[in-house]
Each structure stands twice: as structure tokens, then as C-alpha cells.
Amino acid sequence: MRLPSPKEYIPATAAGRSFAITSLINAIGTGLYLAGSAVFFVRSVGLTTSQVGFGLALSGVVGFLTTVPIGALADRLGAKPTLVALQLWRAGGFVALAFAQGMVSFTVISCCLAAAEAATQPMTQAVASATTEGTDRTRTMAIVRTVRNVGFSLGALLAAPLLAADRVWTYRGIVLGTAAAFVLSAAMLSRVRTATAATVQKKVNPLAALRDFRDWRYLLLTALNGVLNLHTTILAVGLSLWAIQATDVPAAFLPVLILLNTVMSILLQVPVSRMVEREGGAERALRMGGFALTACCLALALSKAPSSALTAAAVLLAACVLLTFGEMWQAVGGWELSYDFAPEDRKGVYLSVFSLGNTGQRIVGPALITSVVIAAGPAGWIGLAVLFGLAALLVRPVTRTLSAARLPVEREVAP
């Protein structure tokens, strides 16, 4: 992999550059909230940890159920207006959350926010794709992902002094700051001029969109991508819990793993995206992501064996590197394949369906990783490695089936 030039981190179009800046502002607000949310829930809203878990789990289900209808609505209104509305929706939700008190108001507001947040990812992909053309689409998404990682870090830094003040209004300030970032993001996004129409207008009943979806081949691709998206939960939950419970590494070592993942993602996501510029590159990237995650799980299984904390730390670092490459390859492969196999007149619905794989793993993933994989010890990680390996092996036959199904349609519409 050759070293990237600075120009590779700049989208090719003016709209793409504007969208990247908008994504940075959005990510700063998200990072600000994520850094202070746990303390805010307990000290400002007055919740117990079990109440927080229940509210967030229920909101995850709501997000899962509402994503596709919102995507169908975007096929009627356009992806950019829908994304602007979602950002304003999120801003209003966070203003309400800042003054929430107790379990009921927290759960209701979280469910309303989840509906908007779950639909934001596929709409972001649709709008990012409309700011550019061809293979630069995936590079633009890679740049967006890079600036989002930078934004998350900046947001966390901004949250530090507010958390140190340890006052109810500073906790509310974190949430209100997040809302302000979303308002600014929506204002900037409304001025972005897309190079192509984000979606083709089509009258689709949003409530019937999921019921009428019949493309089982695309659902198979969605399921495979959802399985590979488990890397999100491994990084957020599994890696740290396993390191503490199964190895002798000190707790102070854990931030090193998160930092390594963040730095690698910022520096390498754009270079990794070059893979899709070659024929069959997206399929290859998704498959390689699965194999990297397989190797990561095997490394985690081995990390319990060393008696030396230093050796265990080295194995965990190797596992983190493999996890990060798996994450980056999965991201670029999933972006390209999901867009390529989505019909032009139903991009909103198809991309929303594809995002359900990630939403589903967010609901199932934490329980799977903590209650099954980690509880089973090294055997659990080996079992997960087998699952990732199987998903990687199925990528090629599933994409070939999708390609074969698209050929007759392309012949019918050809002049």
C-alpha cells in the first residue's frame, strides 16, 4: 500500500468538500455527546444503569423498525432534504433530552432520536454518492469516515472541561452543544449542491416499503454485511472486557488499543478505499474484511494463553490491527456493493434495508459478545472466527447471484 498524498483526503468535487465539512461538524457534536452521555444519564436525568440499558435497547428496536419507511420517504422527497430534516429532528430531540427527567421521558425521547439516527447513515451514503460520480463515490465516503473519526476525537476533547466542572448545567451543555452542531450541520447541508440527483422521485408508500421488499439476494448481502459489522461491538465492548477478564494487561493499556484503532482509521481508510477502483474490488474488500476479522478472533482466543502481560499485550495489539483492517475493508466493500446493487429508482429503500444489518447487530451484538463469546472463553472467540470465515466465503456466491439477477434487468432497459 503506497503512502497517500494529502490531495487524496480532499473530495474531488466542491459539493463533496462541503459535505465532508458538514460531516466533521456533525461528528464533533456526536463525539461531544458520546463522551459525556453516561454521566449525563445518571447525574442529570437521574437513571440507574439498568434503566439506561433498557431505554437504549428499546430505542434500538424502534430505529430498526423505522429505517426503511424513512428511506422510502426519501425516494419521494429526495435524500438531501430528508437528511436535512433528520439533522433538525436530532437537534430537537437532543434539546428535549437535555431537560429530560426520569425513565419515561428518557425512553420516549431516546426512541424518537433512534428513528432519526438509524435513518441518518443510509441517507448520508445516498447524499455523499450524489456529490460525486463513479469510483470516487467510495473514496468520498472513506474521507467522510476519516473526518468523522477526527470529529469524534475533537468532540471528546471539548467534553472534558464540561465533565470536569461536574454540574448539572454543564452536563446539559454537552447535550445542547450536540443539538447546536446538528443545527449547523443541517444549515450547511441545505446549501450543498449535489452533482446528481440523490434519488429518483418515485411514489412509494413508506409504511408498505418493508412489507413489499422482495429482493432476497440483497437481503443475503445485508445479512452478511451485518455479521461482519460485529467488529463495531468487538471494539466498543468485547476487546476491553476480554483484555481485563482474560489477560493480565493493566487497565491503563486499554486506551492504547482504542487510540491505535482511531489513528489507523484516520490514516488508512482513504488508501484502503482504492481497492474498489479495480474490477471486483468491492467484493474482494468485503471478503478480505471477513478473513481479517477471522484472524482477529483467533488472536483474541490466543491472548489468554500467555503468562506474561507483555506477551498478552502484544497479541492484543495484533488483534486490534487485524480488527481495524477488517473494519476498513468491510466498510469500503459494503459501501460500494450496497450502492451498486440498489436500483436507481429505489436507492433510499435499498440503502435503508442494507443499513438494517448494522442496526440489527447493534441490538444483538452486545449480548452475543458478552453473554456468549466472552462467557465461553477462547472457544467463544474461535466460534466467532468460524462465523466470520463463513460470511467471508459466502460473499462471492452472493454477489455473483446479485450480478446474475441484474443482467436481465439491464438488458431490458438498454436502448
Side-chain angles (χ1 to χ4, degrees):
M1 184 186 297
R2 66 177 175 83
L3 293 175
S5 68
K7 289 183 178 180
E8 290 189 64
Y9 291 89
I10 301 174
T13 65
R17 293 190 287 273
S18 297
F19 188 71
I21 295 172
T22 301
S23 299
L24 175 64
I25 294 170
N26 183 78
I28 290 173
T30 303
L32 181 69
Y33 173 70
L34 291 176
S37 59
V39 180
F40 169 78
F41 294 151
V42 175
R43 299 191 181 179
S44 180
V45 185
L47 303 177
T48 65
T49 53
S50 60
Q51 288 175 327
V52 172
F54 174 81
L56 294 180
L58 184 60
S59 68
V61 174
V62 171
F64 184 88
L65 295 175
T66 56
T67 300
V68 175
I70 292 174
L73 187 63
D75 280 336
R76 299 182 67 175
L77 303 178
K80 193 183 82 170
T82 303
L83 185 56
V84 170
L86 289 173
Q87 295 294 69
L88 294 175
W89 181 349
R90 296 169 80 190
F94 275 101
V95 170
L97 184 63
F99 300 97
Q101 291 293 318
M103 178 66 179
V104 175
S105 61
F106 166 74
T107 302
V108 171
I109 295 169
S110 293
C111 289
C112 292
L113 277 170
E117 290 170 354
T120 295
Q121 193 280 327
M123 292 304 101
T124 298
Q125 184 180 355
V127 175
S129 299
T131 65
T132 185
E133 296 177 353
T135 57
D136 197 59
R137 175 179 63 236
T138 297
R139 187 176 74 90
T140 299
M141 281 298 294
I143 293 169
V144 167
R145 193 168 190 268
T146 298
V147 301
R148 283 179 63 80
N149 276 313
V150 174
F152 291 151
S153 302
L154 292 175
L157 289 175
L158 290 174
L162 295 173
L163 291 171
D166 194 21
R167 296 287 187 274
V168 170
W169 268 103
T170 59
Y171 301 141
R172 287 176 176 169
I174 289 173
V175 181
L176 292 173
T178 301
F182 289 147
V183 171
L184 180 57
S185 175
M188 294 186 62
L189 179 62
S190 65
R191 299 175 64 86
V192 172
R193 294 184 178 181
T194 54
T196 60
T199 56
V200 176
Q201 303 282 330
K202 182 175 180 178
K203 292 185 178 180
V204 181
N205 181 353
L207 296 178
L210 183 58
R211 182 193 64 201
D212 295 339
F213 194 89
R214 295 289 184 268
D215 195 339
W216 59 267
R217 299 171 185 85
Y218 197 84
L219 288 176
L220 285 177
L221 181 64
T222 297
L224 290 180
N225 191 69
V227 169
L228 297 179
N229 249 308
L230 281 168
H231 63 70
T232 304
T233 304
I234 294 175
L235 178 65
V237 178
L239 196 60
S240 297
L241 286 180
W242 178 254
I244 290 298
Q245 294 181 15
T247 74
D248 294 327
V249 298
F253 177 73
L254 301 182
V256 175
L257 298 175
I258 305 302
L259 179 63
L260 176 63
N261 173 268
T262 302
V263 172
M264 286 183 63
S265 297
I266 290 172
L267 295 179
L268 299 178
Q269 184 67 80
V270 173
V272 165
S273 70
R274 296 193 203 110
M275 180 179 292
V276 302
E277 297 174 4
R278 300 187 293 272
E279 185 177 355
E283 175 193 303
R284 191 177 304 112
L286 195 59
R287 195 168 65 247
M288 288 176 63
F291 289 138
L293 294 173
T294 299
C296 166
C297 290
L298 294 176
L300 289 173
L302 290 173
S303 66
K304 188 173 182 178
S307 56
S308 164
L310 184 61
T311 305
V315 176
L316 287 171
L317 284 172
C320 186
V321 170
L322 290 166
L323 177 68
T324 306
F325 272 107
E327 172 188 337
M328 292 187 293
W329 279 324
Q330 176 272 324
V332 298
W335 292 333
E336 191 69 14
L337 291 174
S338 64
Y339 198 88
D340 282 347
F341 289 122
E344 285 298 328
D345 61 342
R346 299 190 70 197
K347 291 291 186 189
V349 170
Y350 268 70
L351 293 178
S352 296
V353 167
F354 192 77
S355 74
L356 292 182
N358 188 33
T359 306
Q361 79 81 23
R362 287 180 182 176
I363 297 171
V364 177
L368 174 66
I369 298 299
T370 57
S371 302
V372 179
V373 175
I374 293 179
W381 289 112
I382 293 172
L384 188 59
V386 171
L387 179 62
F388 281 139
L390 181 61
L393 291 173
L394 288 174
V395 168
R396 176 168 290 176
V398 168
T399 54
R400 297 297 162 85
T401 302
L402 275 164
S403 297
R406 292 292 181 269
L407 285 176
V409 176
E410 292 174 0
R411 292 194 188 101
E412 288 178 8
V413 301

